[in-house]
Amino acid sequence: SQHSLGTQYLLRCLFLPGSRVKSPELKMKCSRLIALAVLATETELIEMIGDDKNSNDDNNVDDDEKKKVDSGKEYDYKVTLLSKTILVGSQLCEQVESIVKFAVTEEVSAVSSTSSVGTQLSAQCIKCGTVAQGFLMWAKKRISNSDFISSAAYPYTAPGILSLLRIISNRHPLLRETVVDSALIFLDHSNSELSYQKMNTIREQALRLLLIIASKGLAIEVFEKVTLKLKGKSSFDPGMVRYFVGGALEVMRPPFSLSVVRSMGTMLLMKPCLGALNAVYFESSKKLAFKKVIQSFMETVMKERG
């Protein structure tokens, strides 16, 4: 989940290039403070749920004291373990900056200390939402850096970043909206040293990520943000628009809520989208899918009107 502003500041101190603390002692303190904040929030949530089965127990006082001691030891262990996990995650992000190939994995059980930096970071992001959020901060800063976009490492690292963004969106639903923002940044990337085909492959990977997230419950947010992108100065070329619109027509299935009708309908009425729908290159099967979507939109509106 997303953390408080204070915790996010501490995460920036560990994960963000240019904002990282350099002293090992300060890094340890930051990671421990983050761990304490995260576990305190978790404890508070558990208490809010109302797990008070033992609140009225007439147990022996000595037993109660022993339980408190055991609970305290367990809590300290959790803090130490989470603190170490966060610290390792930040160190792995830092290492990614100096490598070219960035491979990721979803097979956590196969990852060890001898695995590649990318696979180790994948495992940490999958197991720990706090590390995943730290990575998202790191990734947004990294992919917004023009030096990175024009670097020799870009065509090898960018697909890995996008793959890990997809994994995070699958494993940590509350971070999906942040993933959407990062995926949109990729659509404006341009590297004159790379072929159009290579750049297009990376952009299409970003568009697929947006479509995956749209199909998992964030359709309104995705379509609204794409609409804003189309309104502004964007490098969305006709081929990218066709790719995204065609994909949206495939992944979105009726029945549609009125909110989805508004967001998706507004996007489809944008000039670039209308151009894509009318293009000779747009597959006839997708044009048919568009007609079915419009029919479903009309049915939704009619039901709302009663």
Side-chain angles (χ1 to χ4, degrees), residues 220-240:
I220 295 168
E221 290 82 353
V222 169
F223 294 142
E224 285 180 350
K225 288 183 177 182
V226 169
T227 299
L228 287 173
K229 201 83 171 168
L230 291 168
K231 283 180 180 177
K233 292 181 179 179
S234 172
S235 57
F236 251 114
D237 62 33
M240 288 167 61

Side-chain angles (χ1 to χ4, degrees), residues 69-167:
V69 171
D70 291 342
S71 177
K73 287 179 179 177
E74 183 184 357
Y75 188 77
D76 287 342
Y77 173 75
K78 286 181 178 179
V79 170
T80 302
L81 186 62
L82 181 55
S83 175
K84 184 179 178 182
T85 300
I86 294 165
L87 191 57
V88 169
S90 68
Q91 290 168 345
L92 289 169
C93 278
E94 195 169 354
Q95 289 176 48
V96 171
E97 294 166 21
S98 58
I99 63 174
V100 175
K101 289 190 177 180
F102 180 47
V104 301
T105 184
E106 292 186 70
E107 300 296 325
V108 177
S109 59
V111 178
S112 69
S113 58
T114 59
S115 300
S116 70
V117 172
T119 53
Q120 287 187 62
L121 182 56
S122 304
Q124 297 290 351
C125 287
I126 289 169
K127 292 188 290 185
C128 180
T130 305
V131 173
Q133 188 171 347
F135 170 78
L136 291 180
M137 288 180 173
W138 173 88
K140 189 172 184 180
K141 178 93 172 180
R142 183 74 168 157
I143 64 179
S144 300
N145 187 321
S146 58
D147 289 338
F148 166 67
I149 299 166
S150 60
S151 71
Y154 178 80
Y156 306 101
T157 308
I161 292 174
L162 279 164
S163 293
L164 190 45
L165 290 176
R166 174 184 56 78
I167 291 169

Side-chain angles (χ1 to χ4, degrees), residues 257-270:
S257 68
L258 193 59
S259 297
V260 170
V261 170
R262 286 194 186 113
S263 61
M264 190 175 178
T266 301
M267 182 191 75
L268 291 173
L269 287 173
M270 294 290 293

Side-chain angles (χ1 to χ4, degrees), residues 183-189 203 206-207 210 229 235-236 240:
L184 288 167
I185 293 171
F186 275 97
L187 303 182
D188 289 328
H189 283 181
R203 291 191 189 116
L207 291 172
L210 290 172
K229 201 83 171 168
S235 57
F236 251 114
M240 288 167 61

Side-chain angles (χ1 to χ4, degrees), residues 40-63:
T41 303
E42 287 182 0
T43 303
E44 188 177 344
L45 287 172
I46 291 170
E47 289 173 354
M48 285 173 64
I49 291 170
D51 186 13
D52 57 353
K53 296 176 187 176
N54 301 316
S55 59
N56 296 317
D57 283 358
D58 295 323
N59 293 331
N60 184 282
V61 175
D62 290 338
D63 288 342

